Amino acid sequence: MNLKRIRYFIAPLAGLALLLPGLAAGGELPRTLSGVINAALENNPQDTDARFHRGLAYLVIGNYDLASEDMDKTVAAKPDFAKAYFGLGLASEEKEEIDRAIELFTK
């Protein structure tokens, strides 16, 4: 399967993020989304779901470095979270780290 096509499997998970105004502007999350997720992470820094969803939102807007950072932290905290490995693989593929992407997709 073409690695570029894999992103379509994860898009529904982050599809709602596209509905928020200003999401794609400059690779930054809109204040409403970042405020909610950051508040959740401030309240509980170990919240892997919040970190994972912020990583998904970064994937959608094309900020692959921040997506990788959030996904890395998610898999470090929850090594059995397959969707986070997949998201990290997508970010790696977009950053042209193909060998790493393949490794992550097979975890």
Side-chain angles (χ1 to χ4, degrees), residues 7-41:
R7 110 180 46 155
Y8 294 107
F9 291 102
I10 205 167
L13 300 173
L16 289 177
L18 293 174
L19 300 176
L20 297 171
L23 184 62
E28 295 182 16
L29 299 178
R31 278 183 262 152
T32 53
L33 178 60
S34 63
V36 169
I37 294 175
N38 290 336
L41 289 170

Side-chain angles (χ1 to χ4, degrees), residues 56-77:
L56 283 179
Y58 282 134
L59 274 173
V60 169
I61 62 173
N63 193 329
Y64 305 116
D65 291 330
L66 290 177
S68 291
E69 184 179 317
D70 277 344
M71 295 296 178
D72 271 327
K73 289 178 181 177
T74 300
V75 298

Side-chain angles (χ1 to χ4, degrees), residues 78-91:
K78 198 172 181 181
D80 61 340
F81 196 177
K83 290 179 184 177
Y85 283 105
F86 191 78
L88 187 53
L90 289 176

